[in-house]
Amino acid sequence: MKSETIQATDNSEAADVVPLTADENKAIYKELRWQGLWKNNPGIVQLLGLCPLLAVTNTVTNALGLAIATLFVLVASNTLISLIRHHVQKAIRIPIFVMIIASLVTCVQLLMNAYTYELYLSLGIFIPLIVTNCIIIGRAEAFASKNSVKHAAYDGLMMGLGFGGVLLLLGAIREVLAQGTLLDGIETMLGEWSSVLTITLYHTDTSFLLAALPPGAFIIMGIIIASKNAIDYHLENRAKKKLVSQAEQSIENKG
Amino acid sequence: MILSAISRNGFLLAAFAIICTAAVATVNQLTKPVIAQQEQMALIKTINQLIPEDAYDNEIFASCFEISDDQLLGKGQTQQVFVAKKGNKPVALMLETSTFKGYAGEIKLAIGIFEDGKVAGVRVIRHTETPGLGDKIQTNKSEWIYSFNDKDYQVAQDARWEVKKNGGDIDAFTGATITPRAVTHAVKDALIYFAKHKQQLFNQVANCGDL
């Protein structure tokens, strides 16, 4: 693992020197997008940060709040860590990453406390817990510390969006199942005007409790992961079939 | 050679620690007044829900003082009291209380009590009861908590301060008994505390108004 890391670092430093062509650059961004949003999605593939993922997704509003906070921390930490990557000795990189991430999260926490007070109260302990979210230190160590600032920031953005997307999906499913609403309590985040955004799909006195509680979160999460795998399987099969039919056609043509 | 590497890394770590701490301290300084204002506004919002705004004319936020009572106001908890006065005559007060008899952890309540001992209103400040069941004590989930309005406590009618299941006056809500019972008992205890210490409460000198 360690030797692999060092090797990767050496490679990228070499790559920094050689200027990339526009096409290569485009390909890198495309790959980062694909990795963050789908193929290597932090929420449903890497399964990082499950604690906040499962705990705060009982409503879309909570999910959105945590998604934005995590996204901001990810982009900022990736950018900062990429900026300092040449100045930090390998031996002390982890404590420095941790300091940067912890300071960023504390700043976000203070800002949310000041400007989105009620949302801050409802997210509670999960804002400071962003520090312990493995995605952030994971991307810092695996990507930002070895790549250029632009790519690192873009990677943070895509990973953050991928994670946030899963949060929102899970939050939406759970909120609809448990309360029959969407975006309930959004005014705690965006101000009074936004209470019109709350959609009530159906009224219920005896809510579907399972969806609101942690076991429901696990079950729905499992279903989402299974669906993702099913889609991947389907796509792969289609690609294979296409390949086979192309091959058959070329054989026929030759014949 | 090794020593110089150690000292260089040490200086680097120290430099980063200083920069990071400075950044957090700056943000803290900038947000401190806003946070204090937010907390004050949230508190005033709660007070205004409990005690009608036109019923008093004093600076209610500056009238704050702290009390504690292990038996009646939550064990080991310090609670704040805000006194509403009109023309220097006491009208009502809002006191905080906690109970740990709920389903999960602390339920913190704000209770408004008129000078004559009647409940002006009860609101939940925070709780960790089960979502979908116990959270019907919140005003945005259910009207249940309004059922305390205008009730008062008399020793002779002690048994009425119970949920219906236990032969009292208070309706419990579907699916949960423990939470409403805990809240009912907490409100009752607060009213007992109020009856016992009424004179003191209305004449106490403010000591936490600089919050």
Side-chain angles (χ1 to χ4, degrees), chain A residues 197-220:
Chain A
L197 292 176
T198 305
I199 305 159
T200 306
L201 296 170
Y202 60 91
H203 282 283
T204 169
D205 285 329
T206 50
S207 56
F208 180 49
L209 252 191
L210 181 67
L213 295 175
F218 270 106
I219 294 168
I220 296 165

Side-chain angles (χ1 to χ4, degrees), chain A residues 91-142:
Chain A
I92 55 164
R93 66 186 193 284
I94 298 291
I96 286 183
F97 295 170
V98 172
M99 267 196 286
I100 290 176
I101 293 166
S103 319
L104 276 170
V105 172
T106 312
C107 292
V108 168
Q109 186 192 351
L110 287 168
L111 290 170
M112 288 183 76
N113 192 349
Y115 298 103
T116 56
Y117 186 70
E118 284 174 57
L119 184 72
Y120 171 78
L121 291 185
S122 76
L123 288 177
I125 185 70
F126 291 99
I127 303 170
L129 273 183
I130 294 174
V131 176
T132 63
N133 191 332
C134 319
I135 302 168
I136 296 167
I137 189 88
R139 291 327 287 174
E141 166 68 7

Side-chain angles (χ1 to χ4, degrees), chain A residues 87 89 99 103 114 117 209, chain B residues 8-9 12 20 38-39 131 133:
Chain A
H87 308 286
Q89 301 293 314
M99 267 196 286
S103 319
Y117 186 70
L209 252 191
Chain B
R8 205 180 52 206
N9 283 351
L12 204 62
C20 290
Q38 288 275 16
E39 280 171 353
L133 287 178

